[in-house]
Amino acid sequence: MKEEMLVKCADELIDDKEQLQQYLKDIYTIETERYSLQEAEEELKYRIENAGQAQVQERVESYYTYYFKEYLGNLKFTFILGIGVTALVFTILILMDFLTNDAPYWIGTGIGKITILIAIVLPTVKFIQSERKEVGEYEARKENNRKAVEEDKVRIENELAEVPNYKKNMNKCRKNIVDCEEKLQKLYDVGVLFPKYREFVCVSQLLEYLLSGRCEDLIGYTGAYNLYEQELRMNIIIAELELISEELDAIKENQYMIYNAICQANYLLREVKDNTAIATYNTEVIATNMMIYNRYYY
């Protein structure tokens, strides 16, 4: 196998502003690819593990089980209503008898019969109306449940049909992650960056300093290394990738490059359900990495 040789040395890249920026852009590109692929791999793994799981349970209880379990309170309400009406009418009768001792006998007996009739009929009518309403609601919920179960079955079939493609794309992601790591190691081995700064967040920030014109070099008092350390100590920037992901909107102004990279990864996550899109991205990664690699090695 032919031994790989460097096309350009570290000193040449450091001394040339444009070449230094290109070098950091190349590392940033592959670091972004690796991060995006890792996130996509995890999402694909999750989809594979959870594919085909039912999310809607079929309603199997009878109407009477449902009714007496959920709406027994209606019967209690009508019973209490009947007692209340009866008590109210008889209270009125007692007051009438107390105030009008000479009231004819038929008044008391007639009102008493009416009271009993009201006490029976009113709760019964109320109960029948309530029961009809609950029957309608039960049938509607049962039909909605039936439709939801059918839709869930279709979703399950579609997910299971996609599993082979998910597995295929997940394997491609894993292969490209390994390729990204190998390419990154070769780029870092060029020796431009001090070992302490050879990681995703730091490279993104150093590149931002150079592209924005805040710095022109890496080293020195006005260099990107020094500015990075200052802003890190002053808590102007965040170095931990996990924390950056949790506070994405908060870091946009001061850490735009890493913000942009994570947004790209999030976009890829939304495309994971589209097997063609993720397959296309994997193909693009292979071509991009090879082009970058050939810029520094032959």
Side-chain angles (χ1 to χ4, degrees), residues 57-78:
Q57 298 298 321
E58 184 175 1
R59 186 182 294 276
V60 295
E61 61 185 357
S62 68
Y63 166 69
Y64 293 102
T65 301
Y66 167 82
Y67 179 78
F68 285 111
K69 183 173 67 175
E70 300 291 340
Y71 294 101
L72 192 58
N74 288 325
L75 183 60
K76 295 179 181 178
F77 172 75
T78 54

Side-chain angles (χ1 to χ4, degrees), residues 172-216:
K172 288 182 178 179
C173 285
R174 170 45 42 189
K175 183 178 179 180
N176 278 338
I177 290 169
V178 173
D179 182 68
C180 285
E181 291 172 345
E182 292 175 351
K183 296 294 191 298
L184 282 171
Q185 187 59 53
K186 297 297 292 186
L187 288 181
Y188 285 131
D189 285 346
V190 173
V192 172
L193 291 174
F194 187 70
K196 177 182 178 181
Y197 304 105
R198 297 177 184 179
E199 56 89 23
F200 189 19
V201 177
C202 185
V203 168
S204 301
Q205 201 61 26
L206 296 177
L207 176 60
E208 184 171 334
Y209 294 150
L210 295 178
L211 292 178
S212 64
R214 297 180 66 187
C215 299
E216 295 187 357

Side-chain angles (χ1 to χ4, degrees), residues 2-3 8-9 11 21 60 118 125 129 135 145 148 159 208 216 237 248 276:
K2 183 179 178 181
E3 184 178 356
K8 300 173 183 178
C9 65
D11 291 339
Q21 289 184 5
V60 295
I118 293 174
V125 171
Q129 290 175 342
V135 168
N145 174 253
E159 286 183 356
E208 184 171 334
E216 295 187 357
I237 60 175
L248 192 57
T276 301

Side-chain angles (χ1 to χ4, degrees), residues 73-88:
N74 288 325
L75 183 60
K76 295 179 181 178
F77 172 75
T78 54
F79 179 72
I80 294 172
L81 178 64
I83 293 176
V85 171
T86 303
L88 177 62

Side-chain angles (χ1 to χ4, degrees), residues 23 32 50 76 82 91-92 152 160 165 171-172 176 183-184 200 212 231 241 278:
Y23 173 76
T32 300
N50 292 275
K76 295 179 181 178
T91 300
I92 296 173
D152 199 44
L160 292 176
N165 289 326
N171 292 334
K172 288 182 178 179
N176 278 338
K183 296 294 191 298
L184 282 171
F200 189 19
S212 64
E231 293 196 335
L241 187 57
I278 192 68

Side-chain angles (χ1 to χ4, degrees), residues 274-291:
D274 185 344
N275 281 295
T276 301
I278 192 68
T280 300
Y281 182 77
N282 271 300
T283 301
E284 291 173 352
V285 166
I286 296 172
T288 301
N289 288 358
M290 184 56 64
M291 179 186 68

